[in-house]
């Protein structure tokens, strides 16, 4: 029988679904085990979450991980992600993307090595290094794995440092909507095409905190931001706008045609008669030819956590994206952020591929 050690792994379950003429009827289900209690197990299947009473389980076992996505699928998702988090300054090196955004966020300040750079690999890395040096920025790569493993190996030989592994996770929108019930007891989520000043202030505060995590000695090798795009953060200097965000940050956050900023307000805890305050935020984009909902900047203030607000906002964004014709969602989360990984697993997310941010030596 399965144990807690199997949570997060792919399993197959044969369950009892009835009896016909004295013969027991079975049904098989395949997916990722997302929860196991004393009475039930829950698996994320291709058609959505499935909760099975343990009394109905005839047999269950762990199976090998699903086949890795092909290169085309990884490239498609990486480009959809780039559309969802657009750096204001960008050029191409063959098929590779070179991006910078005044240092705000890691992902928008990296080279994305997908496709052919139109020159030998070592020359391409030299060209990337020069491009960032000309703009006064440290050279960084966003290396999708295993697709760009040769790039990673070349950077190893050059002594580039490695930031923590990031999981690029996906889920069917139908699975998210099935996994998260409507919660009329929670503050009604609001979706807007532009962020409120309070929304931006919370994003700036979060980015500043995550940037400090990477600024600690040794943090590039083992720092732990809440989301992969979060460091380094820039909150000051020329071009700074409202809420301490530079102009590049506002571009990243708002320069997407299909975009919604989700937020929820509630009275302060213990003070129900006070004016409502911002307690939760999330950002959703639809990119990749309308197929993908991109989720980012999911945040709940400490005093309002463990109430289901994050799932509440994700559900609202999933409904919005589905109405536009999107069918799947993606997000990016650092591997060791166990609380976030567990939350996304409950929503039906599983890892599509991974990436690492690589930083040039000083």
């Amino acid at each position: 029988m399965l144990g807690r050690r199997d949570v997060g792994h792919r399993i197959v379950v044969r369950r009892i679904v009835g009896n016909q003429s004295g013969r027991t009827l079975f049904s098989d289900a395949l997916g990722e085990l997302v929860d196991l209690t004393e009475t039930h197990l829950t698996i994320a299947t291709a058609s959505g979450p499935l909760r099975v009473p343990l009394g109905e389980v005839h047999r269950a076992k762990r199976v090998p991980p699903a086949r890795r996505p092909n290169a085309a699928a990884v490239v498609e998702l990486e480009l959809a992600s780039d559309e969802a988090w657009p750096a204001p300054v960008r050029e191409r090196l063959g098929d590779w993307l070179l991006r910078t955004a005044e240092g705000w966020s890691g992902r928008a300040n990296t080279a994305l090595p997908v496709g052919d750079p139109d020159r030998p690999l070592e020359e391409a890395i030299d060209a990337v290094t020069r491009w960032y040096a000309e703009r006064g920025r440290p050279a960084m790569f966003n290396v999708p794995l295993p697709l760009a493993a040769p790039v990673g190996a070349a950077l190893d030989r050059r002594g580039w440092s490695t930031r923590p592994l990031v999981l690029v996770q996906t889920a069917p929108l139908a699975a998210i909507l099935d996994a998260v019930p409507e919660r009329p007891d929670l503050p009604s989520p609001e979706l807007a095409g532009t962020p409120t000043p309070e929304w931006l202030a919370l994003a700036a505060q979060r980015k500043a905190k995550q940037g400090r995590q990477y600024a600690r000695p040794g943090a590039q090798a083992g720092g732990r931001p809440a989301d992969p795009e979060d460091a380094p953060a820039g909150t000051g200097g020329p071009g700074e706008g409202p809420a301490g965000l530079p102009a590049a940050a506002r571009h990243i956050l708002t320069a997407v045609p299909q975009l919604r900023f989700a937020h929820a307000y509630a009275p302060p805890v213990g003070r129900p008669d006070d004016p409502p305050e911002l307690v939760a935020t999330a950002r959703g984009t639809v990119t990749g030819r309308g197929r993908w909902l991109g989720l980012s900047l999911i945040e709940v203030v400490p005093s309002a956590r463990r109430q289901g607000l994050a799932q509440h906002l994700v559900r609202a964004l999933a409904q919005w994206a589905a109405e536009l014709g999107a069918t799947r969602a993606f997000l990016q989360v650092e591997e060791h952020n166990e609380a976030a990984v567990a939350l996304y697993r409950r929503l039906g997310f599983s890892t599509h591929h991974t990436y690492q941010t690589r930083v040039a030596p000083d």
Side-chain angles (χ1 to χ4, degrees):
M1 188 57 186
L2 301 171
R4 292 297 303 175
R5 65 187 180 281
D6 298 302
V7 173
H9 292 272
R10 196 162 177 255
I11 66 168
V12 62
V13 176
R14 172 158 290 188
R15 58 193 178 109
I16 301 169
V17 294
N19 187 286
Q20 188 176 56
S21 302
R23 184 169 63 91
T24 303
L25 302 178
F26 299 99
S27 177
D28 293 340
L30 176 69
E32 184 179 355
L33 180 64
V34 297
D35 195 21
L36 180 63
T37 70
E38 294 180 356
T39 59
H40 290 77
L41 63 81
T42 304
I43 58 176
T45 71
S47 57
L50 177 65
R51 190 166 184 259
V52 182
L54 295 184
E56 296 179 4
V57 176
H58 176 67
R59 187 178 301 141
K61 65 177 182 179
R62 193 189 296 190
V63 296
R67 183 175 63 86
R68 287 175 174 170
N70 60 33
V74 174
V75 171
E76 176 197 350
L77 187 48
E78 284 293 326
L79 294 180
S81 173
D82 174 69
E83 290 180 52
W85 198 255
V89 179
R90 51 202 300 122
E91 289 184 16
R92 285 194 173 273
L93 185 72
D95 294 330
W96 288 12
L97 285 172
L98 310 181
R99 309 171 289 190
T100 186
E102 300 179 32
W104 195 81
S105 94
R107 185 154 39 104
N109 290 276
T110 59
L112 179 61
V114 295
D116 184 357
D118 198 27
R119 66 204 67 198
L121 177 57
E122 296 296 339
E123 292 181 18
I125 295 173
D126 289 340
V128 169
T129 303
R130 288 194 301 271
W131 191 86
Y132 283 98
E134 290 166 359
R135 288 154 182 81
R137 305 301 313 171
M140 298 196 295
F141 273 92
N142 198 42
V143 182
L145 299 171
L147 176 69
V151 177
L155 298 177
D156 287 339
R157 293 191 293 269
R158 291 174 175 236
W160 289 49
S161 61
T162 303
R163 287 184 176 169
L165 188 70
V166 171
L167 310 179
V168 181
Q169 299 198 315
T170 63
L173 289 185
I176 297 172
L177 294 172
D178 286 344
V180 185
E182 295 192 45
R183 292 285 304 274
D185 57 309
L186 292 177
S188 177
E190 300 176 35
L191 303 185
T194 56
T196 65
E198 294 84 3
W199 200 106
L200 288 174
L202 188 60
Q205 179 182 3
R206 178 183 181 182
K207 289 291 188 185
K209 178 180 178 182
Q210 290 152 354
R212 288 193 295 271
Q213 288 177 317
Y214 270 114
R216 294 196 304 267
Q220 285 187 356
R224 190 182 160 205
D227 284 317
E229 75 274 14
D230 287 333
T235 57
E240 183 177 281
L245 292 176
R250 293 184 65 87
H251 180 94
I252 291 170
L253 293 175
T254 62
V256 183
Q258 297 291 353
L259 169 72
R260 286 295 181 271
F261 296 89
H263 52 263
Y265 284 78
V269 175
R271 304 198 304 274
D273 296 329
D274 284 6
E277 297 178 347
L278 181 66
V279 292
T281 62
R283 175 179 175 273
T285 58
V286 172
T287 59
R289 292 178 291 183
R291 182 187 180 199
W292 291 99
L293 164 67
L295 296 167
S296 61
L297 294 171
I298 301 168
E299 179 75 1
V300 179
V301 300
S303 62
R305 290 174 183 165
R306 301 187 184 280
Q307 299 178 30
L309 281 167
Q311 298 180 57
H312 195 48
L313 294 191
V314 168
R315 189 182 205 283
L317 289 170
Q319 287 179 314
W320 163 74
E323 290 170 0
L324 291 178
T327 57
R328 297 187 66 82
F330 74 88
L331 54 81
Q332 298 161 328
V333 59
E334 203 268 319
E335 181 186 36
H336 297 297
N337 189 345
E338 297 176 359
V341 172
L343 166 65
Y344 302 143
R345 186 183 297 132
R346 291 194 295 272
L347 294 176
F349 282 89
S350 60
T351 299
H352 184 272
H353 66 279
T354 63
Y355 77 73
Q356 283 187 311
T357 298
R358 307 298 303 270
V359 184
D362 294 335

